[in-house]
Amino acid sequence: MGHSAAVWDYRAATEITKDWNGIDKIVLRNPRGASARVSLHGGQVTSWRNEQGEELLFTSSKAIFKPPKALRGGIPICFPQFGNCGSLEQHGFARNKIWIIDENPPPLSPNDSHGKSFIDLLLKPSEEDLKCWPHSFEFRLRVSLAADGSLTLISRIRNVNGKPFSFSFAYHTYLSVSDISEVRIEGLETLDYLDNLCQKERFTEQGDAKTFESEVDQVYLSTPNVVAVLDHEKKRTYVIRKEGLPDVVVWNPWEKKSKSMADFGDDEYKQMLCVDGAAIEKPVTLKPGEEWTGRLELSVVASTLSSEHFDLQASSGF
C-alpha cells in the first residue's frame, strides 16, 4: 500500500529563507495556497494571504525594514508592556528582538498541529534586557496556518525567575481594509473602554456597532472571545477568536496623526485598522514556575451586510 494522500507533512509546507537584512523568515503554506510569513525579528507575522493570494494584513508602504526598528504592519507582539504605560520603550522590547526557532518545544494539544503548517519560536531575555526589566522568562510562540486558511498565534510565557513578575501584552494586529469609513466592528456593543485620547478616561460604548469617522485609540474591557470586523466593500468579515486576552485595542491614527508618523503614509489610515487581542487593564502576574497562555485565531468569511450567520457570543470553538 502506498502512502495516503491525506498525510500532511507540515515541515514540507514550511520554508526558511532570509530577508534583505539577512534575518531568517519563515513561510508557512497550506494545501489550498494560503500562506503566512513570520520574521525572527520580533517573532512578527509580516504577511497572511488567502488562497487567492490577497494580502489580509496591512503593512505601510513607508515601513522601515531595519532592526531594531519595529515594522509598521503585520502583527507586532507587545510584551512585556503595551504602549507607554510603564518604564520600558513603547510596546516593550519583544517586537525588537531577534527570536530563535524552537526546535524542541513542549507539546501542544494534537488539535494545534493536525493539518497545519506551523513554526515554534523562542525568546529569552538577554543581559541587556535584564538590566531594564530584571525578570527571567521563556516566551514560546507558535504561529500556525490551518487547512482552511485561518491563522493562529499561541504565546506561552513562563516565569523562570525566583520572584513573581507582571506584564501587559497585545497582538497588535494590523488588518487590511478597503475603506475605513465602510468598516464596522461587532462584539464590542455596550462595553466599557479606556480612551487613550482622553487620558485613559473610562466610557461605555453606545453604538450598535463600532464605526469610524475620526482618530480612535481605545482599550475595550471584559470583551467576548469572538469579535468581528466587517468590511462592506470587500464583502468579507474578519473573525477574531481569542483566549486569555480579556481586552481588545482598537486603533486608527486618522489623517492628522498619519502625517506625523515617518513610517506611515499620509492616506494609509483609510486602508488599515488595528484590532488587538490584549491583556492590558489588569496585568498578568506569574509566580515562579507559572505559565500564561494567550491565543489568537484570525479567519475570514464572506459577509453580507448582516452578520447573523455567525454568533458573536458563541463559544470560541477551540
Side-chain angles (χ1 to χ4, degrees):
M1 289 178 65
H3 288 294
S4 163
V7 174
W8 172 247
D9 180 2
Y10 77 91
R11 291 189 184 278
T14 305
E15 177 189 3
I16 301 174
T17 60
K18 292 201 182 292
D19 67 17
W20 45 78
N21 292 308
I23 297 169
D24 283 353
K25 64 178 179 182
I26 301 95
V27 183
L28 306 175
R29 294 186 177 85
N30 80 356
R32 297 180 186 172
S35 66
R37 286 202 311 267
V38 190
S39 175
L40 290 191
H41 174 214
Q44 183 166 340
V45 175
T46 58
S47 172
W48 173 38
R49 293 179 182 268
N50 62 17
E51 52 199 72
Q52 288 79 38
E54 287 180 289
E55 180 58 65
L56 302 170
L57 297 177
F58 168 86
T59 298
S60 172
S61 63
K62 293 191 171 184
I64 298 165
F65 291 83
K66 197 164 183 66
K69 176 72 175 173
L71 177 69
R72 176 73 69 184
I75 310 179
I77 290 174
C78 305
F79 169 85
Q81 173 184 301
F82 178 80
N84 56 5
C85 60
S87 59
L88 301 175
E89 61 199 272
Q90 171 92 354
H91 291 327
F93 50 71
R95 64 183 186 146
N96 296 324
K97 300 299 179 186
I98 301 298
W99 295 50
I100 62 171
I101 294 174
D102 192 354
E103 303 287 1
N104 191 25
L108 283 163
S109 74
N111 292 342
D112 286 315
S113 49
H114 181 67
K116 297 180 178 180
S117 55
F118 60 89
I119 192 73
D120 289 285
L121 303 183
L122 175 63
L123 179 68
K124 294 181 179 179
S126 65
E127 293 296 322
E128 180 187 341
D129 298 334
L130 289 168
K131 285 178 186 171
C132 63
W133 199 68
H135 307 293
S136 291
F137 64 88
E138 291 176 349
F139 188 148
R140 287 184 160 83
L141 172 68
R142 172 170 287 191
V143 180
S144 61
L145 183 70
D148 66 0
S150 62
L151 180 72
T152 301
L153 289 79
I154 303 172
S155 289
R156 291 183 287 172
I157 298 169
R158 177 174 290 276
N159 182 351
V160 294
N161 211 7
K163 60 185 184 217
F165 63 71
S166 299
F167 62 88
S168 54
F169 180 94
Y171 292 113
H172 195 25
T173 308
Y174 286 77
L175 299 174
S176 176
V177 299
S178 53
D179 180 350
I180 187 63
S181 65
E182 296 290 322
V183 169
R184 76 175 193 256
I185 304 177
E186 296 191 354
L188 304 178
E189 304 82 34
T190 74
L191 297 182
D192 284 1
Y193 63 88
L194 307 178
D195 194 332
N196 289 324
L197 301 178
C198 298
Q199 288 77 48
K200 298 185 171 61
E201 190 176 342
R202 193 175 183 124
F203 296 92
T204 300
E205 182 59 53
Q206 303 293 339
D208 291 338
K210 180 73 181 171
T211 56
F212 300 91
E213 53 191 28
S214 59
E215 182 182 354
V216 174
D217 188 354
Q218 295 164 348
V219 181
Y220 286 81
L221 311 174
S222 302
T223 59
N225 281 340
V226 186
V227 174
V229 180
L230 288 78
D231 186 333
H232 298 326
E233 201 170 301
K234 284 260 174 77
K235 293 186 169 54
R236 71 181 175 205
T237 295
Y238 294 100
V239 181
I240 301 168
R241 294 180 171 89
K242 58 191 181 62
E243 283 183 352
L245 300 162
D247 305 325
V248 167
V249 179
V250 178
W251 181 70
N252 183 291
W254 220 254
E255 192 171 7
K256 185 178 177 184
K257 185 164 282 183
S258 295
K259 291 178 177 176
S260 72
M261 294 190 290
D263 60 347
F264 196 87
D266 289 358
D267 292 321
E268 287 185 329
Y269 71 90
K270 297 174 183 176
Q271 273 76 57
M272 57 74 64
L273 177 64
C274 283
V275 183
D276 310 354
I280 297 169
E281 188 206 16
K282 296 172 182 165
V284 178
T285 298
L286 292 179
K287 295 173 184 169
E290 283 188 334
E291 184 175 270
W292 170 86
T293 301
R295 175 180 175 133
L296 182 77
E297 181 191 296
L298 302 174
S299 57
V300 177
V301 297
S303 61
T304 61
L305 287 175
S306 165
S307 62
E308 290 167 3
H309 61 282
F310 60 85
D311 182 0
L312 286 177
Q313 304 305 322
S315 75
S316 53
F318 289 147

